[in-house]
Amino acid sequence: MSVTQSWEARAEEFSLYGFTDLPSVHDRGTVVVTHGEGPYIFDTNGRKYLDANSGLWNMVAGFDHAGLTQAAKAQFDKFPGYHSFFGRMSDQTVLLSEKLIEVSPFDTGRVFYTNSGSEANDTMVKMLWFLHAAEGKPQKRKILTRWNSYHGVTAVSASMTGKPYNSVFGLPLPGFIHVGSPHYWRFGQEGETEEQFTARLAAELEATIIKEGADTIAGFFAEPVIGAGGVVPPPKGYFQAISKVLAKYDVPLISDEVICGFGRTGSTWGAQTYDFMPDAIISSKALTAGYFPMGAVIIGGTLAQRLQDAIEAIEEFPHGFTASGHPVGCAIALKAIDVVMNEGLADNVNRLSGRMEAGLAEIATSANIGELRGVGYMWALEAVKDRATKTPFDGHLSVSERIANTCTDMGLICRPLGQSVVLCPPFIMTEPQMDEMFEKLDRALKKVFAEVA
């Protein structure tokens, strides 16, 4: 290695990229980032970018929140690391578990810690398998999710993820079943109302449960708003309809709130935004405002007691991670929850989400935007070749990637997902910063559509 090489060349020579469009990297190079200020990041060339992707949905308090870094430093000085095995855990872990149940929709419950949302979903699946076997139903192992959903990248959570790219790994594993996507604009039939679409999805879910055998279904996992599938909110009455079906067949409902949790949808939990009560919640990302890798399985009282009974029967739950309940991570999470809920960040989302929707709606009048969809501080614009027929652009044009790259050139970070461009800014974004986002996005869209339309 020669330090005379550029940062971009060194990154490409020694790093393996995940979820990255390699033709763009080969053509444009890697953006190597050095630091951040508020919602902005800076690269090795001194260029400044407004990060309207919040890092990866997670940096909700921005990139230099003094309170969060101080919480981390104080805990590193006090007790820099420990586990949660063998009947020992840090005081910060105890405090965070209490806080998570307090702010959850559950009156009582228990919390189990992981290092990511992927691991949390994976852990929840193992918990369900363990629980059902302990209750005399070892055949109750099948996991239901939705097409185009995203639940992680471990072998289990990738099997849950309803994305075709996982076929390159030989996934999904047997027993992971995907039902219909709740994307009304794309999959609603001609003349079908939103309510009728919901009813059809609920009927499909029930038919799938009957076909597979209700006594073989371990659980149903759903994001309140599908995030990495392109920001897809549920159709009207969706969670009420599927909750009835799941309750009828005794199938636990797990709300995957890795993206939605802690304010992204305008409520603390997406389940509150869409008025449903899950049996458990999966949390990560905003849990620590991105300042520490952490995930949590938050289990509601009824399911938690059943799981505890199963554990008591064999005297332990044989599962965990070295850094589960890490004291520094827990201290940061406690501060992050306080920052979001008590320092005005959640209030800012509610105050400005209407402005965000209105600004994007004006941009979405473009003839090449088929749909604007979202809620709170998570939105997507779907690019189309023809709005009337919802015809997408030819895949070889890589339209959303071109839009995102053009935005980057203009100093704005957004995310391409399929034919969509996703915006999920930090909760600290101000009105002038939002106007900056609109202006740069609009310019980028016009430039790309002029080239490909």
Side-chain angles (χ1 to χ4, degrees):
M1 180 191 74
S2 170
V3 293
T4 60
Q5 287 182 288
S6 69
W7 283 103
E8 294 82 0
R10 289 158 66 185
E12 189 163 356
E13 183 175 354
F14 294 102
S15 300
L16 191 62
Y17 298 83
F19 289 109
T20 298
D21 183 69
L22 290 182
S24 289
V25 170
H26 298 330
D27 180 52
R28 298 166 52 84
T30 303
V31 176
V32 181
V33 180
T34 59
H35 66 288
E37 296 175 6
Y40 295 94
I41 59 172
F42 297 80
D43 68 15
T44 50
N45 298 309
R47 290 200 62 199
K48 178 181 178 181
Y49 307 86
L50 176 60
D51 191 338
N53 196 42
S54 301
L56 198 59
W57 311 88
N58 56 343
M59 304 298 295
V60 297
F63 297 93
D64 63 345
H65 191 282
L68 288 166
T69 56
Q70 287 166 6
K73 291 172 184 175
Q75 186 59 40
F76 271 121
D77 286 339
K78 177 187 175 186
F79 193 36
Y82 210 65
H83 56 79
S84 297
F85 288 15
F86 319 127
R88 297 189 293 275
M89 64 177 58
S90 78
D91 55 351
Q92 299 302 304
T93 312
V94 175
L95 290 170
L96 181 58
S97 295
E98 291 175 339
K99 176 58 69 172
L100 286 174
I101 296 302
E102 176 190 327
V103 302
S104 80
F106 309 128
D107 294 329
T108 61
R110 292 176 182 263
V111 182
F112 191 94
Y113 296 102
T114 66
N115 306 302
S116 68
S118 296
E119 289 178 359
N121 274 312
D122 192 300
T123 294
M124 186 74 244
V125 170
K126 288 181 71 176
M127 286 176 169
L128 291 170
W129 288 344
F130 174 80
L131 168 64
H132 295 315
E135 293 181 342
K137 300 175 182 177
Q139 78 285 359
K140 204 170 173 66
R141 293 180 60 84
K142 295 174 185 174
I143 301 295
L144 300 179
T145 57
R146 287 93 52 85
W147 287 111
N148 203 37
S149 64
Y150 182 89
H151 299 284
V153 295
T154 66
V156 164
S157 60
S159 294
M160 299 163 67
T161 294
K163 295 282 195 175
Y165 56 67
N166 280 316
S167 64
V168 301
F169 304 108
L171 299 173
L173 297 168
F176 289 84
I177 300 161
H178 304 115
V179 297
S181 168
H183 191 174
Y184 173 63
W185 177 82
R186 177 55 69 188
F187 298 113
Q189 297 173 353
E190 185 175 353
E192 186 176 48
T193 67
E194 202 167 333
E195 292 83 357
Q196 289 170 334
F197 178 61
T198 290
R200 178 160 62 85
L201 291 181
E204 180 201 354
L205 174 62
E206 183 165 21
T208 300
I209 293 172
I210 292 171
K211 175 186 175 185
E212 298 293 333
D215 62 345
T216 70
I217 309 296
F220 180 92
F221 288 67
E223 303 159 271
V225 177
I226 291 177
V231 184
V232 181
K236 293 176 183 177
Y238 175 80
F239 279 103
Q240 290 69 37
I242 65 165
S243 292
K244 289 180 181 178
V245 173
L246 296 171
K248 179 179 178 181
Y249 294 99
D250 190 27
V251 176
L253 169 58
I254 315 302
S255 186
D256 182 346
E257 304 255 7
V258 168
I259 288 172
C260 295
F262 290 107
R264 179 64 68 182
T265 66
S267 303
T268 304
W269 305 105
Q272 294 168 328
T273 298
Y274 295 104
D275 192 26
F276 70 96
M277 178 59 75
D279 294 288
I281 285 172
I282 306 299
S283 179
S284 189
K285 296 195 183 289
L287 172 61
T288 60
Y291 281 59
F292 196 89
M294 176 176 280
V297 181
I298 308 169
I299 313 166
T302 300
L303 190 63
Q305 188 57 57
R306 290 170 60 193
L307 182 61
Q308 185 63 27
D309 290 344
I311 293 170
E312 294 281 357
I314 66 166
E315 300 182 350
E316 72 170 346
F317 179 48
H319 177 77
F321 304 93
T322 300
S324 293
H326 193 287
V328 176
C330 290
I332 293 172
L334 283 162
K335 182 61 179 178
I337 294 169
D338 182 56
V339 167
V340 170
M341 299 184 74
N342 301 317
E343 289 190 8
L345 272 68
D347 293 338
N348 197 54
V349 172
N350 285 307
R351 183 174 67 88
L352 292 181
S353 58
R355 180 183 176 91
M356 186 170 179
E357 181 177 7
L360 292 175
E362 186 173 341
I363 293 171
T365 58
S366 165
N368 293 115
I369 298 296
E371 182 187 32
L372 169 66
R373 56 182 181 265
V375 66
Y377 259 29
M378 54 189 305
W379 291 86
L381 294 157
E382 181 97 7
V384 291
K385 183 177 181 180
D386 185 278
R387 177 190 279 181
T389 61
K390 304 180 184 178
T391 303
F393 284 99
D394 292 339
H396 76 274
L397 293 173
S398 300
V399 168
S400 65
E401 194 74 32
R402 291 173 71 160
I403 294 168
N405 288 338
T406 304
C407 283
T408 301
D409 292 340
M410 295 178 178
L412 175 69
I413 303 292
C414 59
R415 181 177 179 182
L417 277 171
Q419 295 270 344
S420 301
V421 176
V422 167
L423 299 125
C424 48
F427 297 173
I428 60 170
M429 178 172 273
T430 64
E431 293 186 52
Q433 290 162 352
M434 194 169 281
D435 290 339
E436 177 186 349
M437 177 181 72
F438 295 149
E439 188 273 329
K440 290 178 175 177
L441 175 64
D442 190 44
R443 273 198 293 133
L445 289 169
K446 287 175 178 175
K447 183 176 186 298
V448 172
F449 290 152
E451 294 169 351
V452 301

